[in-house]
Amino acid sequence: VSVVSKETTEISVGMSHGASLSGKVVAHGSLDPIQGAIISMGNRKASGFDAIMKNGLSGANVTASDKDGNFTLQGIKPGMEWLSVTADGYSDTSIKGKPLEEDEVRNDVTIKVRQGAIIQGIVYDRHNQILAQRMVGGFSADSEDFWQTTTDENGSYQAKNVKPGNY
């Protein structure tokens, strides 16, 4: 744009509202609605969770489900295809879908989340002494999951909401 003194320059700007995606988060099997699930959208598998970690619920493309499990994401950039969900008592879920197009409205998406598993135990050293305040973790290549926790004063640990897999 070139601006000249004492002249009016007209500029037209076209802006997109972005795409929107709405649906419901339910428990796998029972189809009970999940209240308070955090839903986010991104362009790679972990991008939704990255957005939550960086921006919390105030970040773009992040919302929470209502008491009936319903949610709406608005202002989504074109090309976003990964939907990520985290909910208390359930293992984190990422789903790859058809990339959203500019100003697309996609409704009636149902996201089924699985109840998370619990891994627990007691940590001992080679002399059978309890190890307190030690980090314990697991990695699963098949479920692409990682968890970690710390033992308590009795050497006990518990990891909740773990995805099914081999750790």
Side-chain angles (χ1 to χ4, degrees), residues 15-82:
M15 296 182 68
S16 167
H17 294 285
S20 69
L21 180 80
S22 62
K24 189 170 194 160
V25 180
V26 298
H28 187 273
S30 71
L31 303 181
D32 291 335
I34 306 297
Q35 178 180 3
I38 307 302
I39 304 99
S40 56
M41 194 85 190
N43 57 5
R44 58 188 177 81
K45 189 170 187 176
S47 59
F49 297 121
D50 289 347
I52 294 168
M53 296 304 289
K54 290 178 185 174
N55 304 314
L57 288 180
S58 64
N61 304 327
V62 178
T63 193
S65 61
D66 66 15
K67 64 180 179 63
D68 297 316
N70 297 312
F71 70 92
T72 300
L73 286 165
Q74 296 178 322
I76 303 168
K77 294 178 185 176
M80 297 292 181
E81 60 187 349
W82 282 97

Side-chain angles (χ1 to χ4, degrees), residues 118-131:
I118 295 175
I119 297 176
Q120 61 188 14
I122 300 173
V123 178
Y124 297 92
D125 68 10
R126 66 178 181 231
H127 303 292
N128 211 28
Q129 299 297 310
I130 289 174
L131 295 176

